[in-house]
Amino acid sequence: MHSSTAVRTGAQGALVLTALFLVAACLRPALTSVGSVLEQIGDTTGLSASALGLLGALPLLGFAVISPLVHGPAARWGVDRLVLVAMVVLCAGIVLRSLPPLPALWIGTALIGASVAVGNVLIPAIIRRDQPSRISLLTGVNTAVMNSSAALAAGLAVPLSLLLGSWRPALGLWAGLVAVAVLVWAVRMRRLPGPDAVGTVAAVPEEPERSVWASAKAWQVTVFMGLQSTTFFTLINWLPTVEASRGVAPTTAGWHLFGFQLAGIVAGLAVTALMGRRAEQRPACLVVSVGMVVAMAGLVWAPGVGLLWILLAGASTGGAIVVALALIALRGGTHGRTVRLSGMAQSMGYLLAAGGPVAAGALGQTTGVWEPVLLLVGALALVQTGISLFAGRPEPSPDAREHSDP
């Protein structure tokens, strides 16, 4: 097994973390860069608001379909090898999405969703495998890297599209970052051979155990994961459009989305201190959930300080994803169970999240106003606050966990 107890040189440890963080940096730009240029895509392709909402939801549907299937290939080929394949597919999907034919837009987006799903599922397992004593900290740092690239993608999308003359190359440029990640990850695999080498079945051992689908704790973590994902992807796709309806310039709205992501980076790091190594995670869950309720109420009833509420919403989503991913790793127990729990939580969670952008697009198109979208996000955050009381509570004793936990 690729154990954290393996002796590594400082250079090897740096390579492991660099490769991990590069992969994390590739998992969001292809998604978050779309919202800022969604109107440009509609103008170029003739897609309606509902169709654009479906385009935004397509990667999430990919997450839902692919996530529960990841454990099998990971057990056969190894976690690290599967990550490499996913990054190659992601690079191809980004390039394909930027090509002129309309089918390429949809096929490329589907490939992006499928490949990012693999990374989403395996990153918590890799962190648990390599750094079991620092799960919360590394989850926070890894998510900060992920959110940093997401923020840059959101903020640069409009300026790049203006500079390059189209949204297509502005979105396609991110394939370069993925190509770098592929190279570094391949070097990581080559430089760390031996009995704990990547690509072995032992990387994700098969264990006879109760299915995670029968675990109440797994469902609590899954619902929390799904609700925080729904609010994030709804806002990341439609927040610039909501602001445009209020007279905010597209470039300004894009940078507001950058601030949204930047606030998430800071909050994602800060929430790890609140989580610590304690079994009790309800305070962290509640803080990140209530923040979104307050932010949406502010955007609806006190829009004059909209940027403040946008930053609060970003902090909420940034903290919530760290909490959700840490809960997956903390509740996993073993590498194999962590992959299965991650697959379940991200499959069902993102299936729920896929409805967010679609419902938002339909609401905006039907009503002609965008405040109902904010109310929808606020209502989801209220439900998330309720489930926090269950998802974040301490696990039972080891004896009880054997019979009840995933």
Side-chain angles (χ1 to χ4, degrees), residues 3 8 20 25 200 215 234 252 293 313 363:
S3 171
R8 293 197 183 108
L20 179 66
T200 63
S215 166
T234 300
T252 302
V293 177
L363 275 174

Side-chain angles (χ1 to χ4, degrees), residues 123-375:
I123 288 298
I126 291 172
I127 291 175
R128 182 179 185 89
R129 181 193 67 186
D130 293 346
Q131 301 286 343
S133 64
R134 298 192 294 170
I135 290 174
S136 294
L137 175 62
L138 274 187
T139 299
V141 174
N142 195 71
T143 305
V145 172
M146 185 169 62
N147 287 344
S148 296
S149 62
L152 284 173
L156 292 174
V158 172
L160 284 175
S161 69
L162 296 175
L163 178 66
L164 300 174
S166 171
W167 59 268
R168 297 184 190 278
L171 299 186
L173 283 175
W174 292 102
L177 176 63
V178 182
V180 172
V182 168
L183 292 175
V184 175
W185 195 266
V187 171
R188 176 190 189 277
M189 293 176 63
R190 186 176 181 84
R191 293 283 179 87
L192 298 174
D196 62 341
V198 295
T200 63
V201 175
V204 184
E206 294 287 349
E207 300 141 345
E209 58 191 10
R210 187 184 181 193
S211 170
V212 294
W213 297 88
S215 166
K217 178 61 69 177
W219 278 107
Q220 292 157 10
V221 172
T222 294
V223 174
F224 183 86
M225 178 73 184
L227 290 169
Q228 67 84 25
S229 297
T230 304
T231 59
F232 173 79
F233 284 104
T234 300
L235 291 175
I236 209 69
N237 278 282
W238 290 109
L239 188 56
T241 302
V242 172
E243 288 208 280
S245 72
R246 295 177 167 183
V248 178
T251 300
T252 302
W255 284 113
H256 283 179
L257 202 59
F258 173 83
F260 173 91
Q261 295 282 355
L262 193 62
I265 296 168
V266 176
L269 290 171
V271 79
T272 61
L274 184 59
M275 296 182 73
R277 297 183 181 181
R278 298 184 299 273
E280 175 62 81
Q281 301 299 341
R282 279 179 288 190
C285 291
L286 286 170
V287 166
V288 299
S289 301
V290 171
M292 182 61 73
V293 177
V294 175
M296 292 303 100
L299 280 173
V300 172
W301 289 296
V305 286
L307 180 57
L308 172 64
W309 307 123
I310 289 172
L311 294 177
L312 179 57
S316 171
T317 61
I321 184 60
V322 171
V323 172
L325 293 177
L327 286 176
I328 290 171
L330 289 167
R331 304 300 188 244
T334 66
H335 305 143
R337 286 199 295 265
T338 299
V339 173
R340 281 186 281 272
L341 175 57
S342 186
M344 173 188 172
Q346 301 202 45
S347 171
M348 299 305 295
Y350 285 125
L351 182 61
L352 174 62
V358 175
L363 275 174
Q365 184 171 319
T366 302
T367 64
V369 293
W370 292 96
E371 279 69 22
V373 173
L374 303 176
L375 293 173

